[in-house]
Amino acid sequence: MADVVFGVSQINEYISRKIYTDLFLSKLSIMGEVTNFSMSSIGHAFFSLKDEGGMIDCIIYDFASKEDTEAIRDGENVIAQGKIVFYKKTGRIQFAVAKASPQGVGDLFAKFERTKQKLIQEGIFEDIYKKPVPEFPMHIGVVTSAAGAAVHDIINVATRRFEGIRITVYPAKVQGEGAAEQIAAGIDYFNLLSDVDVIIVGRGGGSFEDLFAFNEEIVARKVFGSTVPVVSAVGHETDFSLCDMAADLRAPTPSAAAELVVRDKRAVIQYIENYEKHIYDILKETVYDTDRKLSILESGLKAFPFHIMTRQSRQRINSLEEMMIQSISSTLERRQMALDKMSDSLEDLNPKKVLKRGYAIIYDENKKVVTSSKGSEKNLDVELYDGHIHVQRKE
C-alpha cells in the first residue's frame, strides 16, 4: 500500500467523505472564545474559536440573516452549534456554525475592558491631551519588530515620499511575553533623544491575542506620557487597541502611518512653488495698484492751481501783517498818551512845584513838617524853592 502514489485531490476526496459520513462531526456543540472575527464581501462571517489548548476556524454563511449574531464578536465566550466541513480544493477544515449562544466574555477581552475603563476614568484618551504631529519631521523613531513587515513598509514609504529623511528603529517584541515592556522601553528611549520629532509605534496584522501587547496598561501609559508625539499603527484598519486610543494620532496600518507622518517631497516642493507664485502675484498686484494711485495723485497735482492759491495766501498774509502793525502802533500811541497824562497829573501833585510860587515848607529838628504855630520847637528848617534856611524861633 505504501508503494501506491495518490494525487492531492484523491486524498482530499477521501478525507471529505470520511468527514461527511461521520455522524459525530455532523452535529457538534463547541464552546470557546471568539477571535479574529471578519466579514467577507458576500456576507459570510469568518472567525476562530479557541480555548487554552487549541483553536479551530469557523464560518457562518449569510451572517446578517442569522439570528443570535450579536454573540459572535471578539472576546465573547460562546457555545456554537454546527458541523465540520472540509474544502477539497484547499484542504481546509472549518466548523460551519448554524447557531451560537453567548457564555460570557473571554479572559483577555475582560482584561482589555477593565484596563480601558480604568484609563478612560483617568482621562488618558481625552482629545485635549493630544499633541500635534509636526508637519515636516526630520527624524522619525520607530518602535516595532526588526524582522516584521511593518518596519520595511514604514521605511519604504517614508524614504520614497521624502528622500533623505532620518529613521531610527528600536527593535522590540510585538507579541508574547515581555513584548509590552520592550515597546514601553522603546518609547522611553526615543524620549531621551533630543532630536526625534515623532515616534511611530506598531506592527502588522494579527489576532486579538497577537495584538494584545498594545492593549497592556504599561504601553498605553508610556504613549500618553511621551513628550514626543506618538503615532500608533497597530494591525489593520479594523483593529483597535488601547495604544491607538492613547496615541496623538492613529493610523490604520504601518504604511499609512508613514504616509501621515512624512509629506511627499514633490508635493512639498509644488506647494512651495505655488505659494511663491501666489506671493509674487500679490506683490505684483500691490505694486500695480500703488503705481496707479500715484499716477492719479500726480495728475491731480498737475491740474490743481497751487500757484494761484500760494499768491492769494501770500496777499492775505501781507494784509494781516499790515493790519497787525497798524493795530499795535495805534495801541502803543494810546498807551503813550495815557502815560503822558498820568505823568502830568503826578507832576501837578508834586508839593515842591508849589514852592516856585513863594510858598515854603518848615521842618522841626526831627525833620518833620511843622503844620501848627503852637509848637515849642526852637530850631526850624525852612525849605524854599531854591534851598534851605535855618532859623531860630524867638516867640
Side-chain angles (χ1 to χ4, degrees):
M1 193 70 175
D3 294 334
V4 180
V5 179
F6 297 94
V8 173
S9 59
Q10 291 176 304
I11 296 300
N12 283 355
E13 180 67 30
Y14 177 81
I15 295 173
S16 178
R17 288 182 181 179
K18 283 289 185 181
I19 291 176
Y20 183 75
T21 57
D22 191 320
L23 295 178
F24 173 74
L25 299 178
S26 65
K27 190 174 182 180
L28 292 174
S29 293
I30 301 176
M31 184 171 69
E33 181 182 335
V34 177
T35 185
N36 299 330
F37 181 85
S38 64
M39 290 286 296
S40 72
S41 59
I42 58 175
H44 301 331
F46 297 92
F47 59 96
S48 298
L49 287 177
K50 71 180 183 70
D51 59 15
E52 295 83 356
M55 185 181 295
I56 185 170
D57 293 335
C58 303
I59 184 173
I60 299 180
Y61 299 105
D62 298 325
F63 179 75
S65 66
K66 302 293 183 181
E67 297 180 357
D68 302 325
T69 56
E70 291 183 359
I72 308 300
R73 57 184 180 183
D74 284 337
E76 288 284 351
N77 277 326
V78 300
I79 294 179
Q81 299 174 358
K83 63 180 180 180
I84 300 295
V85 295
F86 179 78
Y87 292 93
K88 292 181 287 185
K89 287 186 177 182
T90 62
R92 184 181 183 186
I93 293 176
Q94 285 182 307
F95 181 46
V97 178
K99 186 178 181 182
S101 58
Q103 297 297 307
V105 179
D107 293 339
L108 274 182
F109 194 79
K111 181 180 179 182
F112 167 81
E113 283 295 329
R114 287 195 303 271
T115 305
K116 183 175 75 172
Q117 292 304 319
K118 178 182 178 181
L119 298 180
I120 286 175
Q121 291 178 3
E122 294 182 23
I124 282 180
F125 304 140
E126 295 289 340
D127 289 341
I128 59 173
Y129 299 117
K130 305 297 184 187
K131 296 178 288 296
V133 177
E135 290 191 49
F136 301 101
M138 300 305 296
H139 186 187
I140 301 173
V142 180
V143 180
T144 189
S145 171
V151 67
H152 298 290
D153 291 343
I154 292 171
I155 293 173
N156 289 338
V157 172
T159 53
R160 184 179 70 248
R161 289 174 67 81
F162 208 104
E163 183 182 357
I165 194 167
R166 183 183 174 190
I167 301 175
T168 302
V169 178
Y170 184 95
K173 289 179 65 176
V174 291
Q175 71 181 72
E177 185 177 356
E181 288 74 17
Q182 290 192 18
I183 295 168
I187 296 171
D188 283 339
Y189 172 77
F190 286 122
N191 273 268
L192 293 175
L193 300 182
S194 60
D195 61 342
V196 174
D197 301 308
V198 64
I199 303 171
I200 297 177
V201 179
R203 57 157 288 165
S207 67
F208 182 74
E209 293 78 11
D210 294 338
L211 303 178
F212 200 78
F214 296 91
N215 288 320
E216 295 284 4
E217 183 176 345
I218 185 176
V219 173
R221 290 192 181 279
K222 288 294 182 182
V223 170
F224 174 75
S226 174
T227 57
V228 181
V230 176
V231 177
S232 178
V234 180
H236 299 305
E237 187 170 0
T238 55
D239 299 316
F240 216 90
S241 67
L242 298 183
C243 179
D244 294 329
M245 298 172 69
D248 300 299
L249 179 66
R250 188 242 176 183
T253 64
S255 298
E259 291 182 356
L260 289 171
V261 169
V262 182
R263 294 289 189 95
D264 191 325
K265 190 174 186 178
R266 290 167 298 182
V268 173
I269 293 173
Q270 185 63 48
Y271 173 80
I272 293 173
E273 291 177 349
N274 291 340
Y275 197 72
E276 182 181 13
K277 183 178 182 301
H278 177 65
I279 293 175
Y280 174 78
D281 291 341
I282 291 175
L283 291 175
K284 183 178 179 181
E285 180 63 26
T286 302
V287 171
Y288 172 78
D289 187 59
T290 304
D291 186 64
R292 182 174 57 83
K293 290 178 179 179
L294 287 173
S295 298
I296 294 172
L297 289 173
E298 185 178 10
S299 300
L301 289 173
K302 289 180 178 179
F304 199 80
F306 272 103
H307 60 288
I308 296 175
M309 286 192 63
T310 303
R311 185 169 62 250
Q312 291 176 345
S313 297
R314 173 55 60 187
Q315 290 174 350
R316 181 170 176 77
I317 290 170
N318 291 338
S319 176
L320 290 172
E321 184 179 5
E322 291 177 359
M323 290 173 63
M324 287 177 63
I325 292 172
Q326 291 177 359
S327 176
I328 292 171
S329 298
S330 176
T331 301
L332 288 175
E333 288 178 359
R334 289 197 303 271
R335 295 291 176 85
Q336 186 62 47
M337 290 174 62
L339 183 62
D340 292 343
K341 186 177 181 180
M342 291 174 65
S343 179
D344 291 342
S345 298
L346 287 174
E347 185 65 23
D348 291 339
L349 294 175
N350 187 353
K352 292 188 177 184
K353 190 176 182 180
V354 182
L355 300 180
K356 287 185 177 183
R357 300 200 298 268
Y359 292 93
I361 301 173
I362 302 172
Y363 299 94
D364 61 14
E365 295 176 352
N366 296 321
K367 302 298 183 184
K368 291 182 179 181
V369 177
V370 177
T371 60
S372 174
S373 62
K374 296 180 179 181
S376 59
E377 293 84 355
K378 297 292 183 180
N379 297 314
L380 299 174
D381 182 21
V382 179
E383 182 180 0
L384 302 174
Y385 169 72
D386 57 352
H388 290 261
I389 300 172
H390 298 283
V391 296
Q392 192 173 35
R393 182 175 179 174
K394 297 279 186 181
E395 285 293 333

